[in-house]
Amino acid sequence: MLVPLARALRLYYRPRVHGLEAVPADRPVIYVAKHPRTWLYLETMLLGLVSFWDTGRVPFRPMEKRGTSLHRLPAFGWVRRHVGTIEATEEAALAALAGGESVLVFPGGARELYGPADALDWKGRRGYARIAARAGVPVVPVAMAGADQQHPLRLPLGRGHSAWLPPLPLPVPLDYWFGAPLAPPASAEATLVGAFADAVAAATEALVGRASAARRSPWSLT
């Protein structure tokens, strides 16, 4: 159901892909990325198209917090629960990886959803590093240049609610950047996990900065 929509999104967002050739094609990885400033997550659907639907790579399962206001919306909430996402728990991630699927994690969560554009905020968020160590899979930094420019305005509407303007994301050009896979530590010992998490965050922040600097104009037609 999502593939035809994602193919239409190619025309809407005119995506370009950088560095995907370095990502293993035949085994699971953990993708980590800055949480986009949007509510429909069309850029994440398109990420699925460019990273596995059209390349033959191992598919990823996005991790997300359940029970949010989006999940309570009629119809839309049902779709969110049935598009292959998994609950944001270590157990769910380990099960997906053991089953041969990759996992997509937005460590910044709501901090980045409501925070400044193109800025990481992963302080204290190390779950992805612990999962990588326990599963023995590499972590791949991802940057989605243009994802934070889809809604120029956000109006806070009380605790946990916002109005994104315009409601339909703008057709900004999207560039997907993939960093080099980072091998996890040999064990999930806290010190090793912490050092690895810091290294992944630094690599992702550098990739986001590089992608942001090379971002195409919102009005670019190519």
Side-chain angles (χ1 to χ4, degrees):
M1 199 170 79
L2 290 178
V3 174
L5 172 59
R7 295 201 188 286
L9 292 176
R10 270 192 178 278
L11 301 175
Y12 195 71
Y13 286 118
R14 310 171 302 287
R16 293 179 182 173
V17 180
H18 313 265
L20 184 59
E21 63 278 359
V23 179
D26 58 352
R27 62 190 179 102
V29 302
I30 297 176
Y31 294 105
V32 292
K34 181 202 172 295
H35 196 294
R37 286 171 47 86
T38 185
W39 70 286
L40 284 176
Y41 302 103
L42 300 181
E43 74 294 317
T44 304
M45 297 181 197
L46 190 54
L47 175 61
L49 188 75
V50 302
S51 68
F52 69 85
W53 278 325
D54 279 358
T55 68
R57 280 179 167 75
V58 173
F60 67 72
R61 301 287 296 275
M63 298 182 69
E64 67 171 7
K65 182 180 180 181
R66 300 293 169 86
T68 66
S69 57
L70 290 178
H71 288 90
R72 293 190 291 272
L73 290 176
F76 188 71
W78 183 92
V79 172
R80 287 296 296 268
R81 293 190 297 272
H82 293 83
V83 293
T85 63
I86 58 175
E87 191 171 4
T89 66
E90 289 191 26
E91 292 71 22
L94 290 170
L97 293 166
E101 296 176 301
S102 293
V103 170
L104 170 65
V105 185
F106 296 118
R111 298 179 185 177
E112 295 172 349
L113 171 62
Y114 302 125
D118 302 312
L120 252 64
D121 188 355
W122 294 5
K123 297 179 182 67
R125 302 289 175 87
R126 296 179 171 181
Y128 61 90
R130 190 164 47 249
I131 293 168
R134 292 179 63 186
V137 300
V139 176
V140 177
V142 178
M144 297 184 282
D148 284 0
Q149 284 68 47
Q150 298 177 88
H151 304 279
L153 296 174
R154 180 183 73 87
L155 300 179
L157 300 177
R159 185 176 178 83
H161 298 276
S162 296
W164 296 93
L165 301 176
L168 182 67
L170 294 175
V172 296
L174 293 180
D175 283 83
Y176 294 92
W177 294 73
F178 295 84
L182 302 171
S187 80
E189 192 272 325
T191 302
L192 295 176
V193 166
F196 180 61
D198 291 342
V200 172
T204 307
E205 188 169 37
L207 186 65
V208 169
R210 179 183 174 193
S212 179
R215 189 174 64 235
R216 287 174 282 168
S217 164
W219 316 115
S220 173
L221 298 179
T222 60

